Amino acid sequence: MKKLTVEKIKHTFSVKSFWSVFLLLAILVIQPSVSASNEKKSSGEKIPFRVPRINSEVKIDGYLDEEVWNKAVKIDANIEVSPGENIPAPVKTEVYMAYDNSNIYVAFKALDPDPSQIRVNLCDRDNIWDDDWVLILFDTFNDERRCYDFGCNPLGIQADIIESVSGGGDSWDAIWESDGRITEEGYIVEMAIPFSSLKFPRRVGDQIWGFDAVRSYPRNVRHHIGAFPRDRNNNCYFCQLEKITGFSDVEPGRDIELTPTFTSIIAQERGAGSSEPFENDFSNELGFTSSWGLTNNLKLCATLNPDFSTIESDVIQVDVNNPFELWYPEKRPFFLEGEDFFETRIDAVYTRTLADPNFGVKLIGKEGKNTIGFFSAQDAITNFVFPSLESSESDSIEIESYGTVFRYLRDFGQSSNVGLLLTDREGEDYHNRVLGADGILRLGKKDDLRWQFLGSRTLYSDSTALRNSQPSEEFGGKGIDINYSHNDKKYNFFGTYEDMSPTFRTDLGSVNQTGYRYIDLGGNYIWRAGPQHWFTWINLYAGADIGKDYYGNTARKELKGNVNYNGPLQSYCGIYGQMSKDRYEGTQFNTSYLNYWVGGKPAKWLDFNLWSVFGNRIDYDNVRPGKGLQLGVSATFKIGPRLSVNLDHYYERLDVNAGRLYSANREYIKLMYHFNKRIFIRTIFQYANYNKNPDLYINYVEEEEQEFLSQIILTYKINPHTAFYIGYSDKHYGNDNTAMTQTNRNFFAKIGYAWML
């Protein structure tokens, strides 16, 4: 078990004392008196729907038989916004809303002329998007910048998302209630969303929120239906939201969540090709995570000995002839909380760089026009990435380091903002500090300008600098990213400028390439048609870019274009081509290629995709031209409402003048069986095989390598933070010198329980 000492904690916060000053100043800045900011513009633009307060209890069961639903405000969502443009929807949808002191209640009555065609499956939360679904979203600050989305499929299985002008995604998980059922007329979904799951202004009297009610109706095409018509000549969706009012004097309550976890692992390992018994390692670890709503809209999170284990294993990525480090998605709950607060154009915050944290603290929230994000974590392992123009290298050492990030945003105008970002990682004889500003400037309904300027100061220890050929003294660098875009109903175009100096470092981020200046220009024309046409959307794109190194040499130039098509049977296809040249180790190479893809969802039980890339490639290991082929085939089969099977095959090869340099295959199989909404079993099999011709390589390589990974997990999940897992995983490895053998296997169990106070 990882151990924390008083000395370690004292050292952490003494090293980080200057961050306390930043944090204190930020909290003072965003602590005005009672906010009235969410009254903006709505009274002059849209008449809000009044949501009534109720006093009776509501049972969330998919039956709208309580009196509350007769008192609730009723809103119709009967406008198809895609693929049809603001036309009458093919089905009727009624939305009902009410609230009490603790929750906002939402019900959808989704009518359907043929309920037997409803697409619905038992699935894990956040995986409903292939089904029929309904969604309610709230812009609780009415600032047209950020929304909370709550969605359900017809069985009431949940998905929640945060949308923002800078990105967002489904990594956010709230605790709320829902249920649903299919009826003779369609389906009904009920939701109870606690105010403690939302952030909203502190104010006396009524509040005004932006909202939309969305229904996705997948048949021959996927119809998206909403509560209001969309202006496609206005690229700000949040600015067009309907308004609701009410929620007088509501409070989120104490908003305290305490989540202890216990993880037990039996890990067994042995060398490749060994027939010796496994070496056993038993570990039991207690973890604890807590969160506290300091105010309606500021949340403090802390964790000690956190369970940062990844429940689902990462997908194997083919790492052959790739000069840059691979990227993997973040899956760990502590870092996913408020993830969108730290998103910027330059990927300066990538929390997978924190490999084995002992403890962490985080503060996120919004007050009026001010947004704050802060986290700090102690890491037992320090990972490094050393970027350059033509490749990136990595290193990892077992020394403690302290990673801290501070983020501040100030809103102004309509959906514009300006922000500050600071990141700092400190270790023994080492630091990396990044400071910069960024912003979004909306220039009317169709245009916006996004920019970011960062500067870094870095010092490596003598041993790290010597081992990785890095400067031995402190050095600085800069990163710049500027983007202008115009988006309207038919025409889109953009221009991007990037400037990453050779000595720019973001050790808490994911910047794998530096030492270049780059300009990218492009535009597209869009044809749209209604749901009854042979196409619903066609996009024609053309662009050009050029990149130069810091000595003025052309490192890359290309002309590119593509055509995309969407049509009946939820089908899509496209082709992309580029004529390009890249410079690598002083030689210019032709890197032109073609890429095509085709896929669709022709039936409730089938989703498929096929893609390929073929053309000129660089043999990076041996610095010569080659001809490459990449091919991917994937399919998802829904076998009844309980079982789903995902199949994915990837093939890659590279030929040079002397013959086949290498070929690689990767297979991925995932089976999910749901006993009910809460209990399911997941099995994953992955296999990768690499065949290389050693005679064609300058340096020694294995002629053949293969690995096989398997994982099986039984899950009982009550909500995102209360769950029990028990499972098994193993790995087999072999090459031309050793037979395929099992090198490790793990038995594990984890339980976590969230107390809401």
Side-chain angles (χ1 to χ4, degrees), residues 434-447:
V434 180
L435 169 65
D438 63 284
I440 299 173
L441 178 63
R442 272 185 58 82
L443 306 169
K445 293 183 177 181
K446 303 177 183 181
D447 304 88

Side-chain angles (χ1 to χ4, degrees), residues 210-228:
F211 98 99
D212 194 6
V214 181
R215 178 179 178 183
S216 185
Y217 178 67
R219 297 301 182 265
N220 185 45
V221 299
R222 182 173 284 274
H223 305 262
H224 284 282
I225 300 163
F228 61 88

Side-chain angles (χ1 to χ4, degrees), residues 456-754:
S456 67
R457 300 294 298 176
T458 306
L459 174 67
Y460 296 120
S461 68
D462 290 341
S463 59
T464 299
L466 180 63
R467 188 170 57 251
N468 296 281
S469 301
Q470 297 296 306
S472 58
E473 303 292 333
E474 185 185 49
F475 60 95
K478 72 174 188 296
I480 300 172
D481 189 304
I482 302 172
N483 172 265
Y484 166 78
S485 64
H486 170 93
N487 298 277
D488 63 28
K489 183 176 177 179
K490 293 184 177 181
Y491 301 95
N492 301 327
F493 54 85
F494 70 90
T496 298
Y497 173 74
E498 295 179 14
D499 185 339
M500 304 290 169
S501 70
T503 51
F504 180 57
R505 299 288 185 269
T506 57
D507 288 0
L508 284 175
S510 179
V511 176
N512 289 333
Q513 186 177 30
T514 58
Y516 67 89
R517 295 183 175 99
Y518 172 79
I519 296 175
D520 187 13
L521 302 172
N524 59 320
Y525 186 85
I526 302 170
W527 292 267
R528 303 177 191 268
Q532 305 303 321
H533 289 72
W534 64 271
F535 74 92
T536 58
W537 180 81
I538 294 177
N539 176 47
L540 178 64
Y541 164 81
D545 64 68
I546 185 169
K548 294 192 174 186
D549 65 19
Y550 258 57
Y551 301 100
N553 301 308
T554 299
R556 176 179 181 80
K557 58 182 177 181
E558 69 178 24
L559 296 174
K560 52 194 174 182
N562 70 17
V563 179
N564 287 310
Y565 162 90
N566 287 1
L569 301 179
Q570 297 186 58
S571 61
Y572 57 89
C573 65
I575 185 169
Y576 169 89
Q578 69 175 45
M579 295 185 296
S580 56
K581 291 184 178 181
D582 287 80
R583 185 170 170 268
Y584 184 72
E585 294 198 0
T587 303
Q588 192 174 69
F589 293 92
N590 181 355
T591 54
S592 303
Y593 68 86
L594 285 174
N595 172 208
Y596 75 84
W597 56 93
V598 61
K601 299 176 183 178
K604 291 197 294 184
W605 55 271
L606 176 63
D607 180 356
F608 73 94
N609 176 260
L610 169 68
W611 63 271
S612 180
V613 178
F614 55 92
N616 299 298
R617 294 188 66 191
I618 301 173
D619 172 10
Y620 292 102
D621 289 328
N622 307 288
V623 195
R624 60 189 169 191
K627 297 286 186 181
L629 172 66
Q630 296 169 281
L631 177 67
V633 183
S634 62
T636 299
F637 300 92
K638 303 291 180 66
I639 305 171
R642 299 179 184 274
L643 176 64
S644 67
V645 180
N646 298 86
L647 305 175
D648 187 281
H649 171 73
Y650 173 77
Y651 172 76
E652 178 180 326
R653 76 180 188 216
L654 182 63
D655 296 326
V656 296
N657 288 335
R660 176 70 43 83
L661 183 68
Y662 72 83
S663 64
N665 287 275
R666 188 211 65 211
E667 318 290 343
Y668 178 87
I669 302 173
K670 178 178 174 182
L671 299 94
M672 296 274 290
Y673 184 83
H674 285 259
F675 299 94
N676 53 44
K677 295 179 185 178
R678 293 182 172 178
I679 303 175
F680 59 90
I681 190 167
R682 176 175 58 221
T683 303
I684 296 174
F685 300 105
Q686 300 188 72
Y687 173 76
N689 176 268
Y690 307 90
N691 289 282
K692 300 177 181 178
N693 187 342
D695 295 335
L696 299 181
Y697 281 84
I698 296 174
N699 299 312
Y700 173 77
V701 295
E702 299 283 355
E703 184 173 358
E704 182 179 9
E705 291 182 277
Q706 50 187 332
E707 58 181 333
F708 173 78
L709 290 81
S710 67
Q711 185 184 66
I712 182 169
I713 303 174
L714 177 67
T715 301
Y716 174 59
K717 184 181 291 187
I718 297 176
N719 60 50
H721 305 149
T722 300
F724 171 72
Y725 307 89
I726 186 168
Y728 167 84
S729 65
D730 68 2
K731 178 180 179 179
H732 294 71
Y733 176 81
N735 57 33
D736 44 328
N737 296 315
T738 59
M740 190 81 160
T741 54
Q742 189 180 42
T743 57
N744 66 55
R745 58 192 183 193
N746 301 285
F747 303 87
F748 55 89
K750 171 195 167 185
I751 187 168
Y753 188 85

Side-chain angles (χ1 to χ4, degrees), residues 31 199 202 252 255 292-299 367:
Q31 289 287 347
K199 302 302 174 192
R202 292 178 294 156
D255 190 18
W292 174 29
L294 299 176
T295 69
N296 289 21
N297 39 39
L298 279 177
K299 186 174 186 179
E367 183 74 58

